[in-house]
Amino acid sequence: MKLAIDIALARPADARAIALLSREVIEAGLAWAWTPARVLRAMAAPDINVIVAREAGLRHPVGFAIMSYGDGADDAEAHLQLFAVVPARRRRGIGRALLDWLELTARTAGIGVIRLETRASNDAAQAFYRAHGYVEVRRLRGYYQGVEDALRLAKDLRR
């Protein structure tokens, strides 16, 4: 049975849920950087999309993504800043639905590459992104507040 998932731009009322999920699953062990106020600022920025995934019948988001758009050195690039799915809802197609939305939006905007960072210790996230065509570009020492390394991954949308 396929899960009914709705992907839409986040509303200001979603900012707290997004920030709390980020704190719980992305920023665990770090100082809280993506507070509700910062999420609201991202929602207001003209070069950033903040999207949420909702399952049919549920009010609160079960996943979200924050992606900024801008020019890289040679091509237009997008930067997937945050991406999370509620742990109890993983492996149900929610992450894939979020990523599909982001990639389609980037292609439509003429973006050639999406890049992102993930914790070097987050094997599950690395496997997810690799399964969807993202490749490791480099390791960033101490990227996460000097506490942990990150892996930068990227996907060339032109291929």
Side-chain angles (χ1 to χ4, degrees), residues 81-148:
Q81 296 181 25
L82 288 179
F83 186 95
V85 173
V86 170
R89 296 285 198 267
R90 291 182 182 161
R91 305 194 63 78
R92 297 181 182 195
I94 296 166
R96 174 78 256 176
L98 286 163
L99 206 52
D100 284 347
W101 192 100
L102 293 168
E103 290 178 2
L104 177 61
T105 300
R107 280 188 183 98
T108 301
I111 300 293
V113 175
I114 295 176
R115 63 183 169 83
L116 61 95
E117 294 79 31
T118 187
R119 287 185 184 211
S121 64
N122 191 340
D123 295 333
Q126 293 168 43
F128 171 80
Y129 291 120
R130 286 186 176 119
H132 295 98
Y134 290 76
V135 297
E136 184 177 337
V137 176
R138 67 183 231 190
R139 185 179 196 99
L140 303 167
R141 303 271 178 218
Y143 181 84
Y144 292 102
Q145 300 174 5
V147 174
E148 186 171 352

Side-chain angles (χ1 to χ4, degrees), residues 45-64:
D47 60 342
I48 298 175
N49 277 335
V50 181
I51 62 171
V52 293
R54 287 187 174 79
E55 289 183 26
L58 294 180
R59 193 179 113 192
H60 293 289
V62 294
F64 77 90

Side-chain angles (χ1 to χ4, degrees), residues 9-40:
L9 291 174
R11 302 180 297 244
D14 297 321
R16 181 166 171 73
I18 290 168
L20 290 173
L21 183 57
S22 176
R23 184 176 182 189
E24 176 188 339
V25 303
I26 299 170
E27 299 180 83
L30 303 172
W32 193 15
W34 283 92
T35 62
R38 185 173 179 192
V39 173
L40 283 169

